[in-house]
Each structure stands twice: as structure tokens, then as C-alpha cells.
Amino acid sequence: MIKIIRNFARRVFSGIFKKKGEVKLGFYGSPNAGKTSLANAICQDWLGEDLGTVSKVPHETREIQVKEKVVIEKDGKKVEFKLIDTPGIATKIDFEDFLKFGMKKKEAQGRAKEATQGIIESIKWLDDMDAVIVLIDASINPYSQVNITILGNLAARKIPVLVVANKIDLKKADIKKVQGAFPEYEVVGISAKTGDNMEEFYEELFKLIKKAK
Amino acid sequence: MVKKKKSRSKKADLTIHFMPYSEIAHEDTIHRIKKIMGIVLANRIIILQGKLRPEEETRLIENSMTLIGNIKGFQGIEIATVSNEEDTHSLFNRIRHNIARILIGEQDAITIIGPATVVKEMKQDPKKIELMLNKR
């Protein structure tokens, strides 16, 4: 309850004192799509530090993580944004899934509870975003209702979007399938893990932030 | 007199609830979600004519997340939609599509919603949805 009030107050006050030109860039997607990996890659490239921890266990990020004042540069021009990494959105959570990763029952139940709260928070924050990067795991079927729902909500709110097909270093990855699933969006393929194609990603990110201003 | 043995299986039956769009057409978001969740919590799979608005889908997810841990055995939902993917890139088709949507709602789609305890997975592509059920 205290957490909800605290987050609500933070959002109200950040709205009142919002600096002109400040862009809030959200990272959205299913669990394990690579949101925190990409957020970390950006923070490492431009700030020299990580944002959050990455894990193979789903729902590692269960709270909104914010990095203020990220500045990226291209051709002598700079853009600044606030980076907001959100917990992965899912439609179901079974604590027993966490047991497979060696967790004890109580720990798994606690993680499941936190994950449900994280998903609710992610959805609530959608209204606050000025631009969003939707991360899609290019190695699995992109036609998931979570991806469709996120993109549908962003379109309804007229929030600029960049679709990022992540994990292109994997054999199974298929960017064309992601492009085919969401033909109305700009799709850029990257590997947040290996750093593949980050140059093109930063070019698209630069355009996205400009669009949101 | 020999008593007749009941031949009914102890296993619960799988129930599919067909919902015509008219059933939710005049409902607001709260009542739509309430109606859907009522059916899902009764362990039934809904086949809905049409689709929910994006903000209704997120409300449905939020609602499901709130119920996990508070309703015994509830693990959330599985949801998938297939739409009539006509060419909506041309201006004429887009206008025609939008007028039809205003007049008759989002009827040119099928949405399947089921409890995660019953539906293991929904595999979807633009043309079809495959439903994988949990062993019962």
C-alpha cells in the first residue's frame, strides 16, 4: 500500500515539476525479452555503469528502474532522456515455474507475488511515457498477445514506438518474422548481449527521441 | 434392487462459452472485464466474437494479476486474438474499416480467453490460434 502511494506521489510530482524537453523513454516487453540487458548496454555505452541485474530466471526485474539524464550523441548533436526499465508484462504467473530454477517454495511464492505487482506497475506507467522501446525476443514467435496488447495501447495513446528485435546472435532468431508481425512499425534487430548492430539502434533511438520531443 | 452405478467421470468437464459481441457491445469497460473474469474464474474458456479495446486488454491483465495469490489456484489467463487482417494500409480501406468499427464495433475478430490452469498455451499467428490444454 505504502509503495503504491509512494509511486503515485512520485508520478504526480514528477508531472508537476517536469522539465521542458525531458523525454521519458520506457522499455516494455515480455519477461526475458532483454529489456534490462539493453538498458544496461545503453547505460554502459553512455554513462559507464549498469542499471539493473540480468538473469535467466523470468521476472528478474520486478520494480520500475529509472536512470536520469542519459545523453546520447550523434554527428555532434545530443539528445537527453530519462530511461525507464519496466518489469516484463505477462498474462499468467505460476510460482511453480520458479521452482525449476532451484528456488524454495516460499521464495518462489514471494517472487511470483512481486512479479504480479511489477506487471501492474508497468501497465500503470504506460500513461507517463513519451516514447517507448518494445523489446521482442527474435528467437521465439513474435505473435504474442502481450506484444500486440502493448503496441495497441501505445498506438491508442499516440506514443512514438521503436520495435527492437533482440537476441539476433541466436541461431533461431528471425528478424523478418518480427517485421512481418508488426509491419507498421520500424524494427531494428540487435543483440544486447553481444552488442551486434548497436550503431543502427542508436540511430533509430536518436530519431525516436526527436519524435517524442 | 440393484442400484445403478453412476457413469459420470470424476474429472471436470471442459466448458467453452461462446460470447456474441452483442453480449458486451453496450457494456462499459468495468462490466466487460467483470463478465469475462466471472466466466474465466468458473474455469471456462471464452470464445468472444470481436475483440477488446487495447486498454481493456491491459485492464484484464491488471485484474488477473490482482487475483493471483488471492484466489486459490488462480494463475492468470491466456488470451489470443485473430483479426480480419484486410489491407488497412490504403486510405480508402482504412476509412471503410473505421466507419464499420464505429457502427458495429470490433466484430471482425475472434478472441479466446481462458484460465491458465486450463489453457497451457495459446500459439497464434495472423490466421490461426492453437490451443494447448493442461492435462486434466
Side-chain angles (χ1 to χ4, degrees), chain A residues 20 58 61 67 86 88 90 104 117 152 163 168 173 177 182:
Chain A
K20 209 179 173 187
T61 307
K67 185 65 80 181
T86 68
K104 295 223 165 93
Q117 287 160 355
V163 175
I168 59 164
K177 208 170 177 186
F182 307 107

Side-chain angles (χ1 to χ4, degrees), chain A residues 153-198:
Chain A
N153 272 274
L154 295 167
R157 289 165 169 83
K158 294 186 169 51
I159 298 171
V161 177
L162 173 63
V163 175
V164 173
N166 190 25
K167 307 190 186 182
I168 59 164
D169 57 304
L170 299 180
K171 260 190 180 175
K172 280 186 189 169
D174 188 349
I175 307 171
K176 281 187 181 159
K177 208 170 177 186
V178 180
Q179 285 164 335
F182 307 107
E184 60 271 50
Y185 293 94
E186 193 67 50
V187 178
V188 56
I190 63 149
S191 169
K193 193 179 167 187
T194 61
D196 286 0
N197 208 28
M198 286 301 278

Side-chain angles (χ1 to χ4, degrees), chain A residues 91-93 143 149 153, chain B residues 54 57 75 77-78 120 124:
Chain A
T91 59
K92 61 177 181 182
I93 288 175
Y143 293 100
T149 301
N153 272 274
Chain B
E57 286 178 9
Q75 294 167 2
I77 58 164
E78 277 285 352
K120 189 180 177 189
Q124 82 189 100

Side-chain angles (χ1 to χ4, degrees), chain A residues 89-94 113 115-116 119-120 123-124 126 141 143-145 148-149 152-153 156-157 183-184, chain B residues 54-55 57-58 61-62 64-66 68 70 75-81 89 116 119-121 124-126:
Chain A
I89 295 178
T91 59
K92 61 177 181 182
I93 288 175
D94 180 5
K113 186 78 197 157
T116 59
I119 291 168
I120 294 169
I123 292 169
K124 286 199 177 4
L126 267 173
N141 182 14
Y143 293 100
S144 85
Q145 197 60 35
I148 295 164
T149 301
N153 272 274
R157 289 165 169 83
E184 60 271 50
Chain B
E55 63 272 24
E57 286 178 9
T58 45
I61 296 171
E62 277 184 284
S64 303
M65 289 303 125
T66 312
I68 294 173
N70 290 319
Q75 294 167 2
I77 58 164
E78 277 285 352
I79 175 170
T81 303
H89 295 292
V119 184
K120 189 180 177 189
E121 198 186 348
Q124 82 189 100
D125 69 30

